[in-house]
Amino acid sequence: DGRKYYKPKLSVRKDNKANCLVCGTTTAKYLHEDGKIYDLTPEQCEQLQTFPVGYTNVIGVPKYQRFNQLGNSWTVDVIVHILNQIYF
C-alpha cells in the first residue's frame, strides 16, 4: 500500500503446517497451543526445512546467520519429491 515499512501479521494455520521461513529476520515466531507466542530456535527451523537437527550449527556461525541460511534454503523433502518425478 505504499508504506515504507511492512510489519507482517502472525497467522495461525489449522493444518499443522508452518508458513515460509523468511531470510533476513533474526527470529521467527509461532503461536503455541497454549496461546502464547514463542520464538523459533534454529533447531526448530532446521526441522521445518527437513534438515538434520544441528546441520547449521557450525563453529563461528552466529545464530542470525543460521536463520538466514535456513530462510534461503529449499525444503529438502520437497526437492527430493520433485527430483523423484524426473524420469531419465
Side-chain angles (χ1 to χ4, degrees), residues 27-57:
T27 59
K29 310 243 186 239
Y30 74 98
L31 182 63
H32 193 266
E33 293 171 345
D34 63 8
K36 295 181 183 177
I37 298 173
Y38 294 96
D39 292 335
L40 287 173
T41 65
E43 291 78 14
Q44 290 169 322
C45 291
E46 288 168 341
Q47 289 176 329
L48 288 171
Q49 292 291 78
T50 65
F51 284 104
V53 175
Y55 188 79
T56 60
N57 191 10

Side-chain angles (χ1 to χ4, degrees), residues 8 19-21 37 55 86:
N19 291 330
C20 292
L21 295 177
I37 298 173
Y55 188 79
I86 299 174

Side-chain angles (χ1 to χ4, degrees), residues 69-82:
Q69 292 169 358
L70 292 162
N72 280 331
S73 67
W74 289 70
T75 304
V76 176
D77 288 351
V78 170
I79 299 304
V80 169
H81 177 75
I82 291 169

